[in-house]
Amino acid sequence: MHTPDTKAAGPERARRLYVYNGGFLTQRRVRRILALAGYRISLGRPTADDLIGVWGNSPTAHRGLAAATRHDVPVVRVEDAFLRSLFPGRSGTPPLGLLIDHKGVHFDPTQPSDIETLLATHPLDDSALLDRARGVIARMAEAHLSKYTAFDPTLPVPAPGYVVVVDQTHGDASVTACGADRNRFLEMLFVARDENPGARILIKSHPETRAGHRPGYFTEADLSDGVSFCTDPVSPWTLMEGAVGVYTVSSGLGFEAILAGHKPRVFGQPFYAGWGLTQDEFPVQRRQRNLTRAQLYAAGMMLYQTWYDPHRDQLCDLETAMEALAAETRAWRADHRGWVASGMRLWKRRPLQQVFGQWKAVAFEDSPARARAKGRSWMVWAGKAEVGHEAAMRVEDGFLRSRGLGAELVPPLSLVTDAQGIYYDPSRPSDLEDMIRARRTLRPDQSRRAERLVAALVGNALSKYNLGGTQPALPEGPRVRVAGQVEDDASIRLGAGESRTNAALLAAARAAHPDATLIYKPHPDVEAGLRTGAFDASGVADLVATQADITALLGAVDTVWTMTSLAGFEALMRGVHVVTTGAPFYAGWGLTDDRGSVPPRRREDVPLLGLVHATLIDYPRYFDPVTRTACPVEVIVDRLASGTLPRPGVANRTLSKLQGLLASQSHLWR
């Protein structure tokens, strides 16, 4: 067992772990997790100070057990974590964590394991731990996470009122360890039918059976009227929602059924049986304690298991590992059928391919008719959407974009997709609006995550482009920053309202604050000479802050005036009063002083943390340029803060300089 306190720092001294199973040697992720947990994989003859590693009750386990007996060396049992990966291990995907047990195996009732000892003896009365557990359970349900996550949460299940009977792979160690066999599964099916007369019985196939790796215990011969296989890759959470009963021998799905609110009927002796949360056909007599779902989860998922962060290559807590899996799963569910993309400039295609083409290469087709004919999910760059693109998903840069300008061809670290519209167009609803509205109330875990995110962004002085710069000397007294924008930008054209120029915005701010120090900050693209919007502001502004650090300015002013700039959102996170003259996505929720025309559909108060959660956690997708995989927002914050980002190549820098010379022809490359 490894506590969260030991995971971050790593072990002081690795113990040699002698293994007799090739999987320990061939599975790189397994070796790495064990190394970080303080075990050094070794071959040969162990000594009294060493350990022998055995993979659960695998067919090769007897080799290690025999060696342990021969050399009188303790055994360490290793298994995949309960929240594992997109696909089963037999598909070649590495685990997100490991069970490392010094006493037994979690599914073998013949002797107590570390997890059973935890469940039986640990106080499990820490309110903070149990609050975390409840939050993570809710997050699992929200993101439709299971042991294997390559399923489609939108697939329908039968009308509610059915009974779920869980099949398992033939010969599974958790089945044989409790003495079960095919007859036990047939008995379970008989009891399910007998106890639920007239109800439809769904036999839930195992993912490995569905993938063709291993057969299950049930066959077609076991089906009859009212009994059918559920082989579609449906969400276990959706399946459990409509079930009136759940029957299992020892499947991890029984554990997830408990989390979903069921009290499953159990015909084996898995770790989750015997704690008052199951109906046990074969009770383990030494398990006499009654636990809550949160206690079971805290012990089994948070205290027992060793979790791995694939982006930072270190051990971590459950929440960090889960968000890594959630990001990967979100990307797979959206992308695995393939995309066709329209309106994408040549320089954008490579980054789009990296983000959306991990599972199937993106096809690029500008013709709406030919794009629709490909039969794939369809996206269009939001600023290029025209008549004929109504059915296409809109795509745009995210709000934590890069270290450098998009106009300089620096690829984005985040992108947003929107099925209804796009965040900067107030003339129509957007997915972001719905997400903001849904975050009017937050769970405690959601509030904590958003709060930590804001603290990290502010503490590391991060913004959309992260260009750095100087901090000008400012006089005492009231200070107002006016956020300059690119005047032909789509957010201005669609969302700025009647006042669409930087000069008009500056004049309005001066009229409202005649005695304040007025600081005008041009947009970085305008400063670089790549976009339109430059004008002489020196006659109105007290200071034109060219080359100034955007975040430093935000920390030094009392008020920000903007048409639709993201600077307004960044100011809100820093506690700065924000005046909007247009209708940016963050206006209309009770957080800004809105002088423009905001859509009437935005008439609800949303807390700042709710806005942050929707805008930076729910809406964008993030791409880690180091591991080249989907990732949660926190990884991008770390990359931007630490500077561990790939540098643009020579071709990128050359094209960027060429753009500066051809700024008047920007339509060729934007």
Side-chain angles (χ1 to χ4, degrees):
M1 255 184 315
H2 304 275
T3 65
D5 292 337
T6 65
K7 292 180 179 182
E12 294 183 3
R13 177 179 173 271
R15 292 190 68 179
R16 289 183 298 190
L17 185 72
Y18 284 79
V19 299
Y20 303 87
N21 180 316
F24 284 104
L25 305 176
T26 59
Q27 297 187 55
R28 182 179 177 184
R29 177 73 61 78
V30 170
R31 297 200 313 273
R32 182 58 178 157
I33 297 174
L34 287 170
L36 291 169
Y39 304 93
R40 189 170 79 246
I41 299 293
S42 303
L43 300 175
R45 181 185 178 94
T47 68
D49 294 329
D50 299 322
L51 302 167
I52 286 179
V54 172
W55 191 267
N57 279 355
S58 69
T60 59
H62 65 93
R63 302 172 189 166
L65 297 176
T69 301
R70 187 164 57 250
H71 301 293
D72 194 23
V73 176
V75 172
V76 176
R77 305 272 191 163
V78 183
E79 273 274 353
D80 288 331
F82 298 149
L83 195 68
R84 190 193 186 280
S85 53
L86 267 174
F87 305 104
R90 292 175 184 271
S91 298
T93 52
L96 193 63
L98 294 175
L99 315 179
I100 305 173
D101 201 305
H102 288 250
K103 292 183 178 179
V105 190
H106 68 89
F107 54 74
D108 188 348
T110 58
Q111 61 181 12
S113 59
D114 282 340
I115 189 172
E116 183 178 322
T117 302
L118 271 172
L119 291 166
T121 64
H122 195 287
L124 297 174
D125 59 356
D126 184 293
S127 59
L129 175 67
L130 298 179
D131 283 345
R132 282 178 58 204
R134 285 185 276 270
V136 182
I137 294 171
R139 176 60 176 145
M140 281 185 66
E142 177 186 59
H144 288 266
L145 300 181
S146 183
K147 184 174 183 177
Y148 311 116
T149 59
F151 52 79
D152 185 356
T154 66
L155 283 180
V157 298
Y162 49 82
V163 173
V164 175
V165 174
V166 184
D167 198 6
Q168 294 177 244
T169 56
H170 197 278
D172 183 82
S174 74
V175 175
T176 59
C178 62
D181 54 14
R182 172 167 157 80
N183 288 330
R184 184 77 61 84
F185 280 80
L186 294 176
E187 177 189 0
M188 178 172 63
L189 178 59
F190 175 84
V191 173
R193 297 189 66 180
D194 184 64
E195 293 181 343
N196 300 274
R200 182 174 182 180
I201 308 293
L202 298 181
I203 299 176
K204 179 67 175 70
S205 298
H206 193 278
E208 287 191 359
T209 303
R210 190 172 64 245
H213 296 309
R214 291 195 289 176
Y217 280 96
F218 291 112
T219 69
E220 293 287 339
D222 303 318
L223 306 183
S224 61
D225 289 343
V227 180
S228 59
F229 278 121
C230 176
T231 58
D232 293 337
V234 300
S235 167
W237 293 92
T238 307
L239 188 66
M240 293 302 165
E241 188 175 343
V244 295
V246 178
Y247 293 72
T248 183
V249 173
S250 58
S251 171
L253 200 58
F255 176 54
E256 295 175 9
I258 294 172
L259 305 182
H262 287 278
K263 192 172 185 177
R265 187 74 178 270
V266 179
F267 285 73
Q269 295 169 317
F271 77 92
Y272 54 82
W275 312 108
L277 297 167
T278 53
Q279 304 174 69
D280 301 325
E281 193 72 13
F282 301 93
V284 180
Q285 295 303 321
R286 62 179 179 268
R287 302 178 189 173
Q288 298 293 326
R289 188 182 185 186
N290 287 333
L291 299 173
T292 66
R293 281 193 294 271
Q295 288 174 317
L296 177 70
Y297 192 88
M301 295 289 286
M302 305 172 81
L303 300 180
Y304 176 55
Q305 304 190 54
T306 299
W307 297 104
Y308 176 72
D309 181 348
H311 300 285
R312 302 173 181 89
D313 186 32
Q314 63 186 27
L315 299 186
C316 62
D317 57 22
L318 169 60
E319 292 92 329
T320 301
M322 180 176 290
E323 291 305 331
L325 180 61
E328 183 185 25
T329 301
R330 176 184 178 182
W332 179 86
R333 289 172 181 170
D335 303 341
H336 75 280
R337 296 183 181 89
W339 287 94
V340 58
S342 303
M344 308 298 176
R345 296 299 186 192
L346 290 177
W347 80 269
K348 292 179 179 178
R349 295 188 179 189
R350 184 168 180 242
L352 283 166
Q353 194 71 259
Q354 289 178 331
V355 175
F356 297 106
Q358 292 273 314
W359 303 99
K360 184 177 289 187
V362 177
F364 296 95
E365 176 56 67
D366 287 339
S367 165
R370 288 195 293 269
R372 285 192 297 268
K374 290 186 177 293
R376 292 181 165 201
S377 300
W378 183 23
M379 66 172 65
V380 62
W381 195 259
K384 301 297 180 182
E386 301 172 345
V387 175
H389 291 126
E390 290 82 4
M393 185 89 72
R394 269 55 172 176
V395 183
E396 250 294 350
D397 288 335
F399 309 113
L400 282 173
R401 189 194 182 281
S402 51
R403 188 174 294 281
L405 300 172
E408 293 180 336
L409 308 190
V410 177
L413 300 173
S414 65
L415 291 160
V416 302
T417 58
D418 202 303
Q420 299 183 74
I422 194 63
Y423 69 88
Y424 56 71
D425 183 1
S427 69
R428 56 195 294 188
S430 67
D431 290 350
L432 179 55
E433 277 189 8
D434 290 347
M435 291 173 181
I436 293 171
R437 198 172 292 109
R439 297 306 184 199
R440 286 173 294 178
T441 59
L442 296 174
R443 300 191 306 267
D445 63 295
Q446 295 170 324
S447 291
R448 289 192 295 269
R449 188 181 181 191
E451 191 172 20
R452 288 194 297 267
L453 178 57
V454 170
L457 293 171
V458 175
N460 290 291
L462 298 179
S463 63
K464 184 174 183 177
Y465 297 115
N466 304 288
L467 301 172
T470 60
Q471 172 63 1
L474 300 174
E476 297 296 325
R479 302 165 183 163
V480 177
R481 175 191 165 184
V482 178
Q485 294 186 243
V486 177
E487 292 183 351
D488 63 351
D489 190 74
S491 72
I492 296 296
R493 291 187 286 104
L494 299 171
E498 295 180 0
S499 180
R500 300 189 178 189
T501 67
N502 292 318
L505 177 67
L506 187 61
R510 172 55 77 200
H513 305 275
D515 300 321
T517 299
L518 209 61
I519 307 160
Y520 178 70
K521 177 69 176 75
H523 190 280
D525 282 351
V526 176
E527 280 190 59
L530 300 173
R531 305 286 296 274
T532 61
F535 78 108
D536 184 5
S538 59
V540 182
D542 298 296
L543 174 67
V544 179
T546 56
Q547 307 304 316
D549 184 279
I550 292 173
T551 59
L553 278 181
L554 288 176
V557 301
D558 308 290
T559 302
V560 167
W561 274 65
T562 180
M563 291 180 281
T564 62
S565 171
L566 186 66
F569 174 64
E570 294 173 340
L572 289 174
M573 288 192 288
R574 290 159 173 83
V576 178
H577 180 69
V578 175
V579 179
T580 65
T581 63
F585 69 87
Y586 51 84
W589 308 108
L591 298 168
T592 52
D593 180 356
D594 301 322
R595 308 290 176 91
S597 178
V598 178
R601 61 183 180 270
R602 302 185 198 168
R603 289 291 186 265
E604 298 161 283
D605 288 346
V606 176
L608 176 61
L609 292 180
L611 177 69
V612 170
H613 200 291
T615 304
L616 296 179
I617 296 174
D618 300 329
Y619 191 44
R621 285 178 48 176
Y622 296 92
F623 178 77
D624 179 8
V626 177
T627 62
R628 305 180 70 80
T629 58
C631 67
V633 60
E634 291 84 359
V635 172
I636 296 304
V637 171
D638 283 356
R639 300 290 189 233
L640 291 170
S642 65
T644 53
L645 295 170
R647 296 182 177 274
V650 175
N652 177 281
R653 294 193 296 271
T654 302
L655 285 172
S656 173
K657 291 177 180 179
L658 183 62
Q659 284 186 124
L661 298 174
L662 299 174
S664 63
Q665 304 297 318
S666 61
H667 63 281
L668 297 174
W669 45 267
R670 274 169 45 199

